[in-house]
Amino acid sequence: MSTVENASPADDSAPAEAVGIASQDWAAASASPQYRAAVVDLLGALAYGELAAFERLAEDAKLAPTLDDKAELAAMASAEFHHFERLRDRLAAIDVEPTSAMEPFAKGVDDFHRQTAPSDWLEGLVKAYVGDSIASDFYREVASHLDTDTRALVLGVLDDTGHGNFAVEKVRAAIEADPRCGGRLALWARRLMGEALSQAQRVVAERDALSTMLVGGVDGMAAGFDLAAVGEMFTRITKAHTKRMAALGLAA
């Protein structure tokens, strides 16, 4: 997950406030073994995502055209690593070995980053602003079904640190200087959208506890949240993507 600015998926169609486990703290909610397993999966996926984002942003800094740009990406990478540390420490605090929690998600995250490796500086910025933000939107949606303690942690590590404006300014300036690059970047962003949504869907499909939580099957949590609501969730994520494309000056 990137720390760049995220357009919130919340709008008039946003889900209603969750009930059940989502109104409890961790001590009460974790009495459900299935819920505990879902949270371990979620924190493991997030932790590895943050660690991979740190590594990728540090690598992308090599593409930066100026020292100021390099420093900006380095700051973004540092923020990602601090988020990873918070998730790692939380896993340890609930008696889970962090590496074991992350391992099931390593291949999927690595495959995503390998398939969407940017070829230049601008593609890297678009990926950080648009691509990673899609995953952040997905985890924010999941957060509405978490206990109060875990929800606060998840939203904290997804919090925007203000780097979105940096990406928007750089990409819009590049398009203004050379309008031809706008088409290329729009195609790139659409590819990122498809790959990121596919990854999110795989996370849900491949982890039974997490998918059960999302469809409201854990002790009645988020009652009424059914498969149709999952579809609506991905619709909201798509709408947020369209807003980000507009902010970058790209056609969705």
Side-chain angles (χ1 to χ4, degrees), residues 4-5 72 129 160 162-172:
V4 292
E5 182 177 1
E72 187 72 20
Y129 181 67
D160 169 40
H163 292 96
N165 289 336
F166 171 78
V168 169
E169 289 171 5
K170 295 293 182 178
V171 172
R172 291 185 73 98

Side-chain angles (χ1 to χ4, degrees), residues 198-219:
S198 293
Q199 185 195 28
Q201 290 163 347
R202 283 194 297 270
V203 168
V204 174
E206 294 175 1
R207 306 302 293 181
D208 290 343
L210 192 56
S211 61
T212 299
M213 182 181 71
L214 270 175
V215 297
V218 179
D219 294 346

Side-chain angles (χ1 to χ4, degrees), residues 11-34:
D11 55 25
D12 292 339
S13 62
E17 183 177 354
V19 296
I21 285 180
S23 64
Q24 300 174 12
D25 62 14
W26 170 252
S30 60
S32 164
Q34 190 171 39

Side-chain angles (χ1 to χ4, degrees), residues 8-169:
S8 172
D11 55 25
D12 292 339
S13 62
E17 183 177 354
V19 296
I21 285 180
S23 64
Q24 300 174 12
D25 62 14
W26 170 252
S30 60
S32 164
Q34 190 171 39
Y35 176 74
R36 179 183 172 86
V39 169
V40 170
D41 275 350
L42 177 64
L43 297 184
L46 270 171
Y48 191 77
E50 295 287 354
L51 184 60
F54 157 73
E55 183 179 30
R56 176 179 53 80
L57 285 170
E59 185 69 19
D60 286 354
K62 297 177 182 178
L63 301 172
T66 70
L67 287 177
D68 285 342
D69 293 336
K70 189 184 295 289
E72 187 72 20
L73 273 195
M76 293 167 67
S78 176
E80 300 288 10
F81 191 77
H82 288 310
H83 289 166
F84 160 73
E85 289 180 313
R86 291 182 62 188
L87 292 160
R88 179 198 60 193
D89 292 347
R90 178 59 177 166
L91 284 164
I94 61 174
D95 298 322
V96 175
E97 206 288 306
T99 299
S100 296
M102 291 188 289
E103 280 177 346
F105 307 98
K107 183 179 185 302
V109 172
D110 290 346
D111 286 347
F112 170 75
H113 287 306
R114 183 168 53 252
Q115 293 161 2
T116 59
S119 63
D120 61 21
W121 164 247
L122 290 175
E123 286 190 1
L125 288 179
V126 170
K127 180 178 178 180
Y129 181 67
V130 174
D132 292 356
S133 296
I134 294 168
S136 294
D137 285 345
F138 168 70
Y139 288 117
R140 281 193 181 88
E141 293 274 358
V142 174
S144 66
H145 309 291
L146 298 172
D147 66 272
T148 55
D149 298 321
T150 306
R151 180 165 64 247
L153 170 64
V154 169
L155 293 178
V157 300
L158 297 176
D159 193 25
D160 169 40
T161 57
H163 292 96
N165 289 336
F166 171 78
V168 169
E169 289 171 5

